[in-house]
């Protein structure tokens, strides 16, 4: 009997230690959610959930250990109920339970859920027993299909959102080239003042080809044109097309015979 009591005490101490660690982790996580939500990151939340999950698994291992006595066989009976404030209970419960009266005892010492919760649980168990294995399998497949479609839609939305963000952030122009183009159009910055040969206007002497153009112009002769038709000769024969006075051109060997138009072919 003493051995069982000793084992029960050790088990309770281990459970109290595990529950205290779990409570501290929950308090820390709730504090982060309430006070550090603006800088809380998703990896930090996942780390907190992983810590809580590990502590719950450790607590279950302690409860399922072969040396742990069956706590369901133990009965807890309140020995003293008082409506007055109890400082010891305040210290043990960290201020959550100020008194240990007949109002709070059913809630704190209950080992079963509320009667309403028990009725709902029984109803769910009855409804689950009515479903055949084939019907349950069909419902499972339908639920899995719905979950797969939902996950696919969520993944598609995430990909579209990421691609849209990349398109918005991607730079499609060069700021340096744009500024240079605007400066050239608005203020003429970077443009050359030289004009190509043959263009209208004055030709500067510093441009290439200007000397050749001036030299060619000095060798040209101005030929006066007579407008009186009476001064024309009646017949021109053996007129050469080339002028000997123009330098730089070869005389043409083609000769043209021009007959006078005064001799009509039907005159007798």
């Amino acid at each position: 009997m003493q051995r069982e009591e000793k084992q029960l005490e050790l088990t309770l101490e281990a459970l109290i230690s595990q529950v205290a660690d779990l409570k501290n982790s929950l308090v820390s996580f709730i504090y982060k959610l309430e006070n550090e939500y603006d800088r809380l990151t998703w990896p930090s939340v996942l780390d907190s959930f992983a810590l809580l999950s590990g502590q719950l698994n450790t607590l279950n291992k302690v409860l399922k250990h072969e040396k742990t006595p069956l706590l369901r066989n133990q009965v807890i009976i309140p020995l003293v109920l008082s409506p007055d404030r109890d400082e010891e209970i305040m210290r043990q419960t960290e201020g959550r339970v100020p008194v240990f009266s007949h109002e709070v005892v059913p809630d704190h010492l209950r080992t079963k859920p509320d009667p309403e919760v028990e009725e709902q649980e029984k109803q769910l168990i009855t409804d689950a027993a009515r479903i055949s294995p084939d019907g349950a399998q069909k419902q499972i497949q339908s639920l899995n299909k719905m979950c797969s479609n939902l996950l696919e839609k969520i993944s598609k939305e995430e990909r579209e959102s990421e691609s849209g963000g990349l398109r918005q952030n991607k730079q499609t122009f060069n700021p340096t080239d744009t500024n240079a183009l605007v400066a050239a159009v608005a203020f003429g910055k970077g443009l050359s003042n030289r004009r190509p040969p043959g263009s209208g206007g004055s030709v500067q002497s510093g441009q290439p080809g200007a000397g050749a153009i001036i030299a060619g112009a000095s060798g040209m002769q101005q030929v006066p044109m007579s407008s009186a038709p009476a001064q024309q000769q009646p017949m021109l024969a053996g007129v050469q097309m080339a002028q000997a006075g123009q330098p730089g051109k070869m005389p043409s060997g083609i000769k043209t015979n021009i007959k006078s138009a005064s001799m009509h072919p039907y005159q007798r």
Side-chain angles (χ1 to χ4, degrees):
M1 191 69 180
Q2 293 180 355
R3 183 179 179 181
E4 292 179 357
E5 291 179 357
K6 185 67 173 178
Q7 187 68 29
L8 180 60
E9 291 179 359
L10 294 176
T11 301
L12 290 177
E13 290 178 359
L15 291 176
I16 290 172
S17 177
Q18 295 294 331
V19 171
D21 294 340
L22 181 60
K23 184 196 70 173
N24 293 332
S25 299
L26 285 171
V27 169
S28 177
F29 184 52
I30 292 173
Y31 178 82
K32 289 181 180 179
L33 292 177
E34 293 179 350
N35 300 285
E36 300 178 0
Y37 59 89
D38 53 344
R39 56 181 182 274
L40 191 63
T41 59
W42 182 243
S44 177
V45 175
L46 293 179
D47 293 340
S48 300
F49 274 116
L51 179 60
L52 294 174
S53 177
Q55 291 175 346
L56 287 174
N57 290 333
T58 304
L59 183 60
N60 288 329
K61 289 180 180 179
V62 173
L63 292 174
K64 295 178 181 180
H65 197 269
E66 57 182 7
K67 294 183 179 181
T68 301
L70 295 176
L71 299 179
R72 68 181 62 183
N73 297 332
Q74 305 295 326
V75 180
I76 300 176
I77 300 175
L79 300 177
V80 178
L81 297 177
S82 175
D84 299 333
R85 184 184 181 89
D86 193 340
E87 297 296 335
E88 182 65 20
I89 293 179
M90 285 281 292
R91 186 182 65 82
Q92 292 290 339
T93 60
E94 298 180 356
R96 291 188 296 270
V97 182
V99 295
F100 198 67
S101 62
H102 64 282
E103 295 180 358
V104 299
V105 165
D107 295 332
H108 291 285
L109 299 183
R110 180 185 290 124
T111 56
K112 292 184 179 181
D114 293 337
E116 296 178 357
V117 178
E118 285 186 347
E119 290 295 330
Q120 293 179 0
E121 185 177 358
K122 289 180 181 179
Q123 185 66 29
L124 291 175
I125 293 174
T126 304
D127 294 341
R130 292 176 182 175
I131 301 176
S132 61
D134 296 337
Q137 190 65 27
K138 290 181 180 179
Q139 292 183 3
I140 292 173
Q141 293 177 358
S142 177
L143 180 61
N144 291 335
K145 185 177 180 180
M146 293 174 59
C147 293
S148 299
N149 293 335
L150 182 60
L151 290 175
E152 185 177 357
K153 290 182 179 180
I154 293 174
S155 300
K156 183 178 179 180
E157 291 292 336
E158 290 180 352
R159 291 193 299 268
E160 291 179 354
S161 177
E162 292 177 357
S163 61
L166 292 176
R167 286 195 298 267
Q168 292 178 358
N169 296 330
K170 186 177 180 180
Q171 191 173 8
T172 57
F173 64 95
N174 190 350
T176 305
D177 296 343
T178 302
N179 295 331
L181 181 60
V182 171
V185 173
F187 308 106
K189 183 178 180 181
L191 298 180
S192 177
N193 295 327
R194 294 183 300 177
R195 296 183 179 181
S199 61
S202 60
V203 179
Q204 299 180 2
S205 60
Q207 296 181 0
I213 297 175
I214 297 174
S218 61
M220 296 178 62
Q221 296 180 358
Q222 186 174 3
V223 180
M225 301 295 294
S226 177
S227 60
Q231 297 179 1
Q232 296 181 359
Q233 298 178 359
M235 174 181 283
L236 297 177
V239 179
Q240 296 182 357
M241 299 298 296
Q243 296 181 4
Q246 294 184 357
K249 289 189 177 182
M250 297 294 293
S252 177
I254 302 175
K255 298 181 180 181
T256 305
N257 297 326
I258 302 176
K259 296 182 180 181
S260 176
S262 59
M263 297 176 62
H264 199 275
Y266 295 98
Q267 290 180 358
R268 293 181 181 177

